[in-house]
Structure formats: C-alpha cells, structure tokens
Amino acid sequence: MKLSKASFLNFSLGGLLISIHWYLFFYSIKISSISLTLSILSTASLMASFLEPLFYKRPFRIHELLFGLVAIIGLVLIFGIQTENYIAILMSLFCTLLSVLFSLLNGYLIKKHSSLKISFYEIIFGLFIISLIMFVSDVKFPSVHLIKTSNWIYIFILGSLCTAYAFVASTYILKHISPYTMMMSLNLEPIYGIIFSLIIFGDKEYIDVQFYIGAAIIFLGVIGNIVFKFKKTS
C-alpha cells in the first residue's frame, strides 16, 4: 500500500502516541495499582471536551465541559489520598492525554483511510517505538522458553482480541461518533476493570473508601453525559 508523505507522518505520529500510551499505562499499573490507573483514565472525557473543539475548530459545548469538570472533582478526591502515588497519577494523566490525542488524530484520518489501513500502519510504527524503548531500557525480559504455556495464551488473547480487534473496531466507529463520545464510552472501562481487578487480585487492589467515592463521582459524570445525549436525540 503506497503512502503519501503526509499519510506516512500521520501514521507515524499515531504509532508514537499509542505506543507511549501503552508503555505508560502498564508502567503506571506496575508502580501503583490497576484501580488507580483505570480511574485516572476516566479524565479522558474532560480532556476531549477541551481539545476536540480546538482540533476540529467547532464551538465548545457547555454540557461536555460541565460533565468533564465532574471528573475533576473525583480526581481531586483521588489525589487527596494517593499522595504517595503522585508519580503514577501524573503518568496516568499523561497516558490519558496521549489516548485522547490519538483518538483525535484517528477521527481525522478515518475520513480519508480505512480503519484496517490506519490500524495496520499505526501498529507497525508502534511496534518500532516499543522495540526502541525495550532496546534502550535496562529491563530484563525472560527467555522465550521460560514463558509458561498459560502465559502465551494470555498474551495471545491480549494481543489479538484485546488489542488488534479493539484497535480496528475503535478506529472504525470514529466514522460515526466523535472522539469525545468515544472517550465518554471508554470511561466505562474503569468500572468493569476495577471490578475484575478486585475479583482476580483481591486484597492488594483495595484502596481507601475516599478513592472509590472519587471514582464513583467520575463515573456519575460519564452516565450523566450519556443520559443527556440520549434525551437530546430522542
């Protein structure tokens, strides 16, 4: 598939954004917890409510800003009790910003290219960036023969269903919805993510009650936006 210079640069940028997002996402989980990292990702809607009008040169929408600001209230509560994890919080926020920028870029690219083409090149460029990070880092990776069969199954599921399919599908639906709506929908991810983390990892995922109050406020903002849009269109 022949690429123009502009398309090559855009796909390269997409690969750069998503690869660093992935790296910071998993690193934040490693130094903090799944619950904390996923809750911070809920601020994506607030970021999108400010950035989408700037990128797409459309007017700001008051309801998007209001529901986005609800996320800030929840985030303040989380910051208040997680001071020892401020590095993980800042990493998660930057990780979220990269995710929003990535969606804004793909919202533009999907008007000119197919979702398969976009995803293919961005994943290829992302692989290059991740490989470069691995090369310059001092992280020691296990030998292939030391990886358990069960872990290979999990890696396959993570790489195919949870990454490749989700990558293509999320890019495709940007044909029909805005990046802001995409971010609001993805904000539901922390709900089942936190639930599963508590079920699978148990006690080590439990955090102070104030954390869950903050997370609940963020989620209420997500639901409020969904209800508002539904009533507006019905």
Side-chain angles (χ1 to χ4, degrees):
M1 290 182 280
K2 190 175 181 180
L3 291 178
S4 65
K5 184 178 180 180
S7 295
F8 177 82
L9 292 175
N10 284 327
F11 292 148
S12 299
L13 177 59
L16 176 66
L17 291 173
I18 198 60
S19 58
I20 297 178
H21 162 80
W22 283 333
Y23 179 81
L24 292 179
F25 175 77
F26 287 110
Y27 187 74
S28 179
I29 289 175
K30 182 177 177 62
I31 64 175
S32 60
S33 68
I34 299 170
S35 299
L36 176 64
T37 303
L38 288 176
S39 67
I40 301 301
L41 290 181
S42 296
T43 59
S45 57
L46 175 64
M47 296 182 187
S49 68
F50 283 99
L51 293 175
E52 186 177 312
L54 296 177
F55 274 71
Y56 294 164
K57 298 179 180 179
R58 66 160 176 82
F60 286 91
R61 294 167 182 161
I62 299 301
H63 77 276
E64 291 182 354
L65 297 174
L66 290 176
F67 286 122
L69 287 173
V70 170
I72 289 296
I73 298 174
L75 191 59
V76 168
L77 287 174
I78 293 173
F79 260 105
I81 62 162
Q82 292 288 315
T83 52
E84 73 279 7
N85 285 325
Y86 71 94
I87 294 179
I89 291 174
L90 292 175
M91 278 193 172
S92 298
L93 284 171
F94 186 59
C95 164
T96 304
L97 174 61
L98 295 177
S99 176
V100 173
L101 292 174
F102 177 73
S103 293
L104 290 171
L105 175 63
N106 280 353
Y108 166 77
L109 293 176
I110 197 65
K111 297 176 182 177
K112 300 180 179 180
H113 307 281
S114 70
S115 57
L116 281 173
K117 184 177 181 180
I118 295 170
S119 301
F120 174 79
Y121 283 111
E122 287 180 341
I123 288 177
I124 292 297
F125 288 122
L127 173 63
F128 173 76
I129 298 298
I130 289 293
S131 300
L132 187 61
I133 293 173
M134 290 170 60
F135 179 76
V136 299
S137 68
D138 57 356
V139 178
K140 290 182 172 55
F141 297 90
S143 300
V144 172
H145 70 276
L146 295 178
I147 300 177
K148 296 179 181 178
T149 303
S150 59
N151 286 340
W152 277 116
I153 295 173
Y154 294 140
I155 290 171
F156 175 77
I157 294 173
L158 183 63
S160 58
L161 184 63
C162 301
T163 302
Y165 169 74
F167 204 109
V168 175
S170 61
T171 303
Y172 174 77
I173 62 176
L174 283 171
K175 279 186 174 181
H176 308 287
I177 63 174
S178 69
Y180 173 81
T181 302
M182 165 80 81
M183 291 296 103
M184 289 301 295
S185 300
L186 290 179
N187 276 353
L188 296 176
E189 178 183 348
I191 297 178
Y192 48 80
I194 289 174
I195 291 173
F196 279 124
S197 69
L198 291 172
I199 293 173
I200 297 171
F201 298 103
D203 292 342
K204 66 180 180 180
E205 279 296 318
Y206 283 105
I207 307 178
D208 191 279
V209 173
Q210 187 176 329
F211 167 85
Y212 294 105
I213 294 174
I217 290 174
I218 294 173
F219 300 148
L220 285 175
V222 175
I223 300 301
N225 179 74
I226 293 172
V227 172
F228 180 88
K229 282 185 175 292
F230 178 77
K231 287 185 175 180
K232 191 174 181 181
T233 56
S234 59

